[in-house]
Amino acid sequence: MQRCTSTRQPLGPTVLVGPVETAEDIAELTRWLETTPLAVDGLPQRLRRLQHVRQAVQN
């Protein structure tokens, strides 16, 4: 995810999210998207799994 202006200009860094698998995940993601700034720490752990995969691949 990356917060953008209405003209799609980036307002911050890209944040990996997912996987999004359930209606509860969608609700949590929506609540998180309404926060400022978008910080990974604000995501529920289950929606940060891609963060861990990316780190493992880089190591």
Side-chain angles (χ1 to χ4, degrees):
M1 305 307 261
Q2 187 174 33
R3 195 173 292 251
C4 300
T5 66
S6 60
T7 60
R8 299 185 188 251
Q9 295 298 311
L11 290 176
T14 301
V15 177
L16 294 176
V17 175
V20 178
E21 301 175 318
T22 66
E24 184 178 346
D25 290 347
I26 293 169
E28 289 288 337
L29 179 58
T30 300
R31 279 190 284 279
W32 178 73
L33 288 170
E34 293 171 344
T35 66
T36 303
L38 293 181
V40 173
D41 293 343
L43 276 172
Q45 189 65 38
R46 70 181 181 280
L47 295 177
R48 292 190 234 169
R49 283 184 272 172
L50 286 178
Q51 298 291 326
H52 301 296
V53 169
R54 183 176 180 195
Q55 290 171 359
V57 169
Q58 290 176 347
N59 292 335

